[in-house]
Amino acid sequence: MFESTLSIDIKRKNYLDCIYGKLKPHIKLADAEVAYTKADDRVYLSIACEDGFKDVMHLEIISQLAEIYAMGFKYDYLKKKLKINRENLLVKTLLNTMTVFDSNNDKKLIRNELYGNKVIAIDGFFEFRLKGVKEKWDEIISLTNENSIVFSDDRISGEFLMFLLDAIPEGEEGVKICKYGNKIELFDKMGKKIKLIKPVGESKSPEEMILFNLICLAPKKVLISDEEKYSQEFLNIVRKFF
């Protein structure tokens, strides 16, 4: 019988909720037993399945943890340590891009650290076992903070954003942005709706959410339907950087 237990401070319960949501299809497939409990100031997710599913389940748990660390915890870490003195949409897009930048390598390093661990205090593991990954992020933070104007001047913020986006390999051939009421959707060049990537952690406005997805999709071309439905700042960012 394979067993694994994850826990986290209740204030960061949303991360464990996210992991649980992503694991549900695999839990169902393995007919695994699950316990989601609370004790004092922590929440716990315990999963148990037959040994025939242990390798798949363990690798999937590691994969979801790596995603949480590389995208959610990294975003929080950067936001806390960077000298950000304002939070307009351009600055938020820059911070999201810094989070996505090199995240695949981050996930690889994190998975290597996680492998073999079956009982994980998610927040504690981040603090004490991912020092190498955090040192890598600290280098970016240090370089950015040396030029504190990066987050206080739109022109410098834009130049840095362009630099990071140019380093992300191109993905989708083209996407179209459409707004229906308060909801914004993305469609590929064939007109098929693209399933949006939901950022882990801090909630985002619909426009920030779409910009986050554009960062991840790295399209070669972006079309905007009914431009009058969006904020001018959103339009300026899409036109200039995507």
Side-chain angles (χ1 to χ4, degrees):
M1 178 73 75
F2 168 81
E3 296 182 13
S4 181
T5 298
L6 311 177
S7 70
I8 197 167
D9 188 286
I10 197 166
K11 294 177 182 177
R12 307 179 90 171
K13 177 177 176 289
N14 60 315
Y15 286 121
L16 195 57
D17 289 341
C18 182
I19 292 172
Y20 184 29
K22 295 289 182 67
L23 289 176
K24 280 183 176 179
H26 303 278
I27 290 171
K28 183 177 181 180
L29 184 65
D31 195 23
E33 296 180 7
V34 178
Y36 201 159
T37 58
K38 174 183 174 293
D40 298 324
D41 60 348
R42 297 188 70 78
V43 286
Y44 297 81
L45 173 64
S46 297
I47 301 171
C49 66
E50 296 298 328
D51 284 340
F53 294 96
K54 69 177 182 179
D55 291 338
V56 172
M57 186 64 73
H58 184 50
L59 289 175
E60 191 59 35
I61 290 171
I62 287 173
S63 177
Q64 296 307 325
L65 282 168
E67 181 75 19
I68 289 294
Y69 285 131
M71 300 300 287
F73 275 70
K74 182 180 180 182
Y75 178 91
D76 295 340
Y77 191 79
L78 294 178
K79 187 174 182 180
K80 180 179 179 180
K81 292 205 167 190
L82 288 167
K83 294 177 181 178
I84 300 174
N85 50 23
R86 61 192 181 129
E87 290 194 20
N88 60 20
L89 192 56
L90 177 62
V91 167
K92 290 178 180 179
T93 303
L94 177 53
L95 182 56
N96 285 325
T97 305
M98 293 179 72
T99 302
V100 173
F101 184 78
D102 205 32
S103 58
N104 286 336
N105 283 328
D106 291 336
K107 292 172 194 176
K108 183 178 179 180
L109 293 171
I110 293 166
R111 284 195 295 267
N112 289 340
E113 291 292 334
L114 286 166
Y115 191 76
N117 291 277
K118 296 179 182 178
V119 179
I120 300 172
I122 298 172
D123 38 3
F125 196 93
F126 181 74
E127 291 298 328
F128 302 109
R129 295 287 300 277
L130 295 182
K131 291 182 179 180
V133 178
K134 288 188 288 185
E135 286 173 0
K136 177 171 171 277
W137 298 344
D138 284 336
E139 292 178 6
I140 300 171
I141 291 166
S142 179
L143 289 171
T144 306
N145 282 342
E146 285 176 7
N147 188 357
S148 58
I149 198 173
V150 165
F151 287 102
S152 59
D153 182 280
D154 279 351
R155 183 180 63 84
I156 302 299
S157 296
E159 289 177 356
F160 189 37
L161 175 58
M162 184 65 78
F163 169 77
L164 294 176
L165 291 173
D166 284 345
I168 297 175
E170 288 184 337
E172 288 283 333
E173 280 292 322
V175 300
K176 184 177 182 180
I177 305 172
C178 298
K179 189 171 185 179
Y180 307 97
N182 293 324
K183 192 173 183 180
I184 308 177
E185 301 281 6
L186 291 178
F187 297 85
D188 64 19
K189 68 174 186 176
M190 302 302 293
K192 182 180 179 181
K193 186 164 74 171
I194 297 172
K195 185 177 181 180
L196 296 181
I197 301 166
K198 187 178 180 180
V200 295
E202 189 174 293
S203 62
K204 304 185 187 300
S205 70
E207 290 188 344
E208 186 184 356
M209 175 83 160
I210 290 299
L211 290 170
F212 175 82
N213 275 266
L214 290 180
I215 296 164
C216 297
L217 293 169
K220 296 178 182 178
K221 186 177 181 180
V222 178
L223 296 176
I224 308 174
S225 176
D226 301 323
E227 293 189 358
E228 69 277 1
K229 294 182 178 180
Y230 309 89
S231 71
Q232 192 58 51
E233 187 178 20
F234 175 80
L235 293 174
N236 290 340
I237 292 172
V238 174
R239 290 167 181 162
K240 185 171 183 178
F241 301 104
F242 298 98

